[in-house]
Amino acid sequence: MTTERPNSWAAEAIRRVRTGGLHLAPTPLRPLALPAFRDVEIYFKDESAHPTGSMKYRLVRAMFCEAIASGAIRSDTPVIAAASGAVAVAGARFARLLGLVFTAVVPAKTSADVLARIEGEGGRWQVGEQPPAAVQEEARALAEQLGGHFLDHFRDAERAVAGCGEPTIADEIFDQMRGEAHPVPEWIVTGAGTGATSAAIGRHLR
C-alpha cells in the first residue's frame, strides 16, 4: 500500500496552473508602424494572446500559484472572486484545471457575454445583492461561509506576482527587446488597474 505525500497535490496543481493546460510561451511584442514619426519605435505587449484573451490571465495564474503554495487552496477548496470580467473568466479556467468549484460574485449589470464565458470555463456566478462597491465584501463573506478561498485581485495581486517564481511581464518585455535596434526603451506605459503590472515593471527596472 502506498501513501500519497501531503504536498503531491500542491506540486501537481502548481504545475498545471503554471502551464495553464497549454505550452506556456511569452505573449508577442508587436511593433506599431508610425510613418509620420520615423524616429519613434512603439511596441505593444499583446496580452490578448493568453488563453482567456486578457492580461488578467497572467495575474490570476500568479494568484492561484501563491494560494496553492501557501496552503490557502487545497484539493477541495472552493474558490470565490468578486469580478465581472477577465478575472472571473481566468479564475474559472484555472479552477476547472484543478477540479475546483469556482464562483464569481458579479454586479447586477454584468454583460451576458461575460457570464457565458464564466460558464464556458466551468465556473458559476451569482449576482451580488449589494451595490457594486460592496460586491467585494459579499464575495469575501461567501468564501468564509463555504470554507473557501477568496481570490482578492485588488489586495493580493502585487504580492502574488512578486512571489510566483516565474517570468513577469517585465522579464518578458526586456528579453524580447534584446533583439531590437534599441533594446532599452525610453518609456514603458501601462494602464491603471490593480497595480500589479506597473509594480512588476518598476521592480524590474529598479
Side-chain angles (χ1 to χ4, degrees):
M1 178 178 178
T2 59
T3 302
E4 186 178 42
R5 296 175 60 188
N7 64 349
S8 61
W9 180 86
E12 174 61 16
I14 289 175
R15 186 195 68 78
R16 289 186 182 184
V17 169
R18 282 183 169 167
T19 61
L22 303 167
H23 176 66
L24 189 62
T27 53
L29 194 66
R30 304 189 187 280
L32 173 66
L34 294 174
F37 299 92
R38 296 186 181 277
D39 296 329
V40 178
E41 295 181 2
I42 296 178
Y43 298 82
F44 285 103
K45 183 66 167 162
D46 186 1
E47 294 286 270
S48 70
H50 284 301
T52 57
S54 168
M55 68 186 307
K56 298 300 183 184
Y57 179 90
R58 184 191 297 273
L59 167 64
V60 175
R61 182 177 66 207
M63 294 182 69
F64 265 84
C65 283
E66 193 272 339
I68 295 165
S70 70
I73 292 180
R74 299 177 184 273
S75 61
D76 58 352
T77 305
V79 180
I80 295 88
S84 59
V87 168
V89 176
R93 181 184 181 89
F94 285 116
R96 177 166 57 86
L97 282 173
L98 302 176
L100 303 176
V101 175
F102 176 84
T103 303
V105 179
V106 303
K109 294 185 178 180
T110 302
S111 71
D113 176 65
V114 169
L115 299 179
R117 292 185 66 203
I118 294 171
E119 292 177 350
E121 293 291 354
R124 306 173 179 177
W125 56 269
Q126 65 183 56
V127 176
E129 298 179 359
Q130 303 296 328
V135 168
Q136 190 86 350
E137 291 308 313
E138 193 168 338
R140 190 188 305 275
L142 178 62
E144 291 178 1
Q145 175 188 335
L146 297 176
H149 176 67
F150 175 48
L151 205 67
D152 190 341
H153 60 287
F154 291 106
R155 188 187 66 181
D156 300 336
E158 195 275 335
R159 185 187 73 243
V161 169
C164 70
E166 63 181 45
T168 67
I169 188 171
D171 296 326
E172 289 185 11
I173 289 172
F174 280 89
D175 185 61
Q176 290 168 314
M177 287 294 293
R178 286 177 184 172
E180 302 300 323
H182 303 285
V184 180
E186 290 288 333
W187 290 85
I188 297 179
V189 181
T190 71
T194 63
T197 300
S198 56
I201 291 173
R203 187 182 302 106
H204 185 101
L205 293 173
R206 185 173 67 245

